[in-house]
Amino acid sequence: MRVKELHPLCCITLESPHALDDNKPPPQPVTNLTRSRSLPATSLTGGSNRRSLASAGSVAGILYKWTNFSKGWRSRYFLLRDGILSYSKIRRPENLNLLSSSDDVRLIGNISADRLSRMDSCSGRRKQEKSVGIVHLKVSSFRESKSDERKFYIFTATKTLHLRTDSISDRAAWLQALASAKCIFPLRSLNGDFSFTSPKDLSISTERLKKRLQEAGMNENLVKDCEQIMLSEFSEMHGQIKLLHEERTNLFDALRQLEEANLEAGAPGIHSSLGRGKYSAEKEKAVSLWSMIKDNVGKDLTRVCLPVYFNEPISSLQKCFEDLEYSYLLDRAYEHGKSGNGLLRALNVAAFAVSGYSSTEGRHCKPFNPLLGETYEADFPEKGIRFFSEKVSHHPTVIANHCEGKGWKFWGDTNLRSKFWGRSIQVEPVGVLTLEFDDGELFQWSKVTSTIYNIILGKLYCDHHGVMQIRGNRQYSCTLKFKEQSILERNPHQVNGFVEDVAGKKAATVFGKWDDSLYYVAGDGVSKTKVSDPASNASLLWRRTKPPPNVTRYNLTSFAITLNELTPGLKEMLPPTDSRLRPDQRHLENGEYEKANLEKQRLERRQRMSRQLQESGWRPRWFEKQGENETFKYTGGYWEARGHRKWDDCPNIFGEFTKEQLADSA
């Protein structure tokens, strides 16, 4: 008959792990260290019992940890103490002197009496072995392997430990010890209060400064100047603290929302079912956030439902048009080629390819993932360009766009694959961009990898890295290298490259920063002088437009701010698929976060139908794929339909569900 006991995490009834003992005789106490198969369940309930368990000591033992394919499983000495699991290498048996004989430690596993005696005898003579790894149970979770009765896993936001014991009962004992420690040192829920120092509570007094300056005999005017300098410096620092405070507040608001969304979706936190016991769907709220983060590590974020707090109020369709903010570079390239200067044409094309990244500086939120069939148009007569984009595939997510300018056409499709790595988000654009001039010269290139770092802790920053090959069909091509930013990098965001002719001879050297400016030097020489030096022989190709004086929460550029604007009379001319009509995006722009989140959830429910539509033979309305490996090309007709305001074949993708749609999606 199996004995029932309470699961230490959340009172889940399960079968006792003692019933799974593989007929090993209970170990006898050896020396003055206490060895046990498991911790008593009675010590997990009640305040006094919890305190007694916390003070009862630690748990230790030898586990086998998977390292890599060349070394395989390696034994490590593990110590569980105060909610922290640390492990060290076992170089020699006598190096097991991690604990002194005075420690009250429960040992799990078959550590020989000989080793324990050596550990006791060497504890006073040898230094403790340094830990090679530390896991904080507050922000981790664990479960047993279903394929191997001796294995279990510990998950953190950044790594997974694969561990193995000598027996089934040892695994049960370790899992129970981990669960017990997690109960004693729980993670405070994000619904709790987080104390931030509000910028409005910060103040500064100049009285001591004035008094000291006056005592030094300085005249009153100089004292006032010094006071004003100090106040000015404080004002600048106060503004930075205010932005940091808002950033951290928004982050924790987003984390709370993420936790709530995870709970509402019914996604349980990871719990341990000791031995072969069953567990219910009851959730542990304290770790649900971290469980969700862990579950999404390595996944494509376009398939992960995130709260609206992680978004900026523009869609990926509009984000594509941001690349054309400096379209004058293509106008200039057209004119240079027209006058016979192919080198300057290629250089201006290179500058255009780099300029598209300048708007990403300080942009830490992700754009909205468009619905299948969602579109966006941009008509800028003053810039001489007309742009149109459409989401043409849901899985994988593919966005096609087409733009016409003064003497050139620019088109392409992009498969935005973004992955979450715990501390960073990596975006890998897959697709080819094509630029064609009216005289037939053509350039093609693909974007480089983009990464946002310090998602959980630290200062958020964005970086672009990789090699961009701009291939021309005539005389010149260009190679640009986006240098990856290192931790100690003092001059980040660097771009270096060169333009070469068909014979492989370098015709010009290109260098600069993707968030600031780009220069070139003719010939094969590399300029060693600073570009700001008046004597420098470098010529300016492009410089970024200054950011707006009043920075928005999302750090949008002056150009990006206009992308979601509905000017008078424009709404009546747009198709029902245009991003500017998307309700969750509009609510977010207006600061109506609750409404935005509700609308986002409603539209994501519609989004789940997209795969079914795609498999049923759905086709894009304005783009067509010429071949299996070809890009989507604009088929025409959009601007003509806009002129007649004829959108009969454009579905109302942002509207309410019909009864038929609800039945199909059920």
Side-chain angles (χ1 to χ4, degrees), residues 13 32 39 56 86 90 93 106 188 199 345 371 389 458 461 468 520 557 566 569 576 628 636:
T13 304
N32 56 349
L39 299 174
S86 59
I90 306 172
R106 297 178 182 271
R188 179 177 61 180
R345 171 177 280 190
L371 274 64
S389 59
Y461 69 95
M468 177 185 287
Y520 79 95
T557 64
L566 272 174
E628 186 63 29

Side-chain angles (χ1 to χ4, degrees), residues 339-398:
S339 61
N341 195 331
L343 176 59
L344 277 177
R345 171 177 280 190
L347 285 167
N348 277 275
V349 170
F352 170 77
V354 173
S355 69
Y357 292 95
S358 62
S359 63
T360 63
E361 174 64 10
R363 299 276 287 278
H364 306 137
C365 296
K366 66 184 292 288
F368 279 84
N369 182 23
L371 274 64
L372 186 64
E374 187 173 335
T375 63
Y376 177 72
E377 68 157 64
D379 188 7
F380 281 68
E382 67 278 11
K383 296 171 72 73
I385 59 174
R386 219 163 47 166
F387 172 90
F388 179 73
S389 59
E390 179 183 10
K391 181 172 179 179
V392 294
S393 173
H394 182 57
H395 284 304
T397 299
V398 180

Side-chain angles (χ1 to χ4, degrees), residues 392-430:
V392 294
S393 173
H394 182 57
H395 284 304
T397 299
V398 180
I399 293 171
N401 59 81
H402 179 88
C403 185
E404 298 177 1
K406 300 174 182 177
W408 52 267
K409 293 179 181 178
F410 177 69
W411 72 88
D413 58 42
T414 304
N415 178 1
L416 299 174
R417 294 191 302 195
S418 57
K419 288 189 176 181
F420 175 51
W421 295 114
R423 290 177 292 183
S424 63
I425 295 176
Q426 183 173 305
V427 180
E428 295 181 358
V430 179

Side-chain angles (χ1 to χ4, degrees), residues 21-91:
D21 200 333
D22 44 2
N23 299 321
K24 276 192 176 182
Q28 299 299 319
V30 183
T31 71
N32 56 349
L33 293 173
T34 306
R35 192 211 308 264
S36 69
R37 287 293 178 195
S38 62
L39 299 174
T42 54
S43 63
L44 299 177
T45 56
S48 60
N49 287 334
R50 176 177 291 190
R51 285 191 295 272
S52 65
L53 180 58
S55 61
S58 311
V59 176
I62 295 177
L63 291 171
Y64 298 94
K65 177 181 177 292
W66 175 261
T67 53
N68 52 52
F69 284 100
S70 61
K71 295 183 179 180
W73 295 93
R74 286 287 186 265
S75 59
R76 297 287 185 263
Y77 192 87
F78 280 78
L79 172 63
L80 177 58
R81 172 182 285 162
D82 298 336
I84 297 176
L85 181 69
S86 59
Y87 54 95
S88 305
K89 291 182 179 179
I90 306 172
R91 303 189 186 280

